[in-house]
Amino acid sequence: MNMNRLDRTRRRVVLGLLASGLCWAMTVSADGLDSLTQFMKQARSGRAQFSQSVTSPSKAGQPPRVKTSSGSFEFQRPGKFRFDYRKPFVQTLVADGQTLWLHDVDLNQVTARKQAQVLGSTPAALLTAASDLEALKADFVFKAEPDRDGLQWVSATPKAAEGQIRTVMIGLHVADKGPELAVMDVQDTLGQRSVLTFTAFELNPTLTAQAFVFRAPPGVDVIRP
């Protein structure tokens, strides 16, 4: 091999190593904010099982009360989602793009609120209201947090001071097909903490339009605050 060919071979090897190192560095430097940005771009719809724990502030020296529930969750952008609570009580929460419906089976009651009035600065808006992260920055301040528990984390703080949400921590699992929603940890202004843990997450499943249609059962009281 002559010297010119040897030099070209060495340059290709060096450039290959530099390119590999750059790709590795970009992968390592990716944080929760990068993963959330990618998730928001990729996830047009989603389906998962969830468990929820709600911890109320302690009172008069008593330990905090913790309530747990579980069920299934579906969403479709823009602005549609459904929580079906199965344990310990059956409840359905449906956002159809215009109205947020809450059906409490035990109370035989449905509450209907205009979606635009109640979802502007809530955790649900992080999943359904916008197609990308930039659109959400009008309502939230986002910050990458240190990795923990095998997840990448982002904090989201509402800009509106009068809202009920103090901060939301979003945990993402980075899978081969892209980031998946794993945890939403919500702290409200009254000191209550609600942690939603998602499992068996499906990215972009085909969901029927009927999944986000709610009709109050006959005989149920419908309240429109």
Side-chain angles (χ1 to χ4, degrees):
M1 180 182 296
N2 61 40
M3 291 302 297
N4 288 335
R5 183 176 299 178
L6 181 59
D7 287 342
R8 288 198 298 270
T9 301
R10 287 172 176 169
R11 282 197 295 269
R12 285 198 295 268
V13 171
V14 171
L15 289 172
L17 290 173
L18 288 173
S20 299
L22 178 60
C23 292
W24 178 83
M26 291 173 64
T27 302
V28 171
S29 64
D31 57 19
L33 204 53
D34 297 322
S35 294
L36 181 59
T37 300
Q38 184 180 351
F39 175 79
M40 292 294 294
K41 288 180 178 179
Q42 289 182 337
R44 300 179 301 278
S45 63
R47 178 165 53 203
Q49 301 298 308
F50 76 88
S51 61
Q52 182 177 17
S53 65
V54 178
T55 305
S56 300
S58 59
K59 295 181 180 180
Q62 298 178 352
R65 292 180 300 169
V66 180
K67 297 180 179 179
T68 60
S69 56
S70 61
S72 60
F73 167 67
E74 296 175 319
F75 75 90
Q76 186 176 69
R77 289 198 178 93
K80 298 179 180 180
F81 64 85
R82 182 184 188 101
F83 284 92
D84 285 306
Y85 289 82
R86 300 191 184 97
K87 296 178 181 179
F89 308 108
V90 177
Q91 290 183 325
T92 303
L93 183 67
V94 179
D96 61 15
Q98 300 295 325
T99 304
L100 181 67
W101 304 88
L102 173 60
H103 180 204
D104 191 310
V105 175
D106 286 350
L107 295 178
N108 197 34
Q109 179 178 290
V110 170
T111 303
R113 293 183 173 90
K114 291 184 178 180
Q115 193 167 320
Q117 295 177 354
V118 295
L119 292 183
S121 296
T122 66
L126 296 173
L127 297 175
T128 66
S131 59
D132 57 45
L133 198 62
E134 289 301 316
L136 289 174
K137 288 182 179 179
D139 295 315
F140 294 90
V141 176
F142 294 92
K143 179 185 175 184
E145 302 290 346
D147 295 359
R148 57 181 171 84
D149 303 325
L151 302 176
Q152 292 185 331
W153 292 87
V154 177
S155 61
T157 305
K159 292 182 178 180
E162 67 274 10
Q164 295 182 343
I165 302 301
R166 177 177 296 169
T167 187
V168 182
M169 291 288 292
I170 306 160
L172 297 142
H173 169 65
V174 181
D176 292 339
K177 58 186 176 182
E180 297 176 351
L181 183 67
V183 178
M184 294 188 75
D185 186 339
V186 185
Q187 301 266 0
D188 69 20
T189 54
L190 299 177
Q192 181 173 271
R193 181 186 181 192
S194 178
V195 180
L196 281 159
T197 302
F198 300 94
T199 57
F201 188 90
E202 297 179 53
L203 182 66
N204 295 327
T206 300
L207 302 176
T208 65
Q210 290 300 311
F212 307 103
V213 174
F214 180 84
R215 294 184 177 88
V220 172
D221 292 331
V222 178
I223 300 173
R224 298 179 182 271

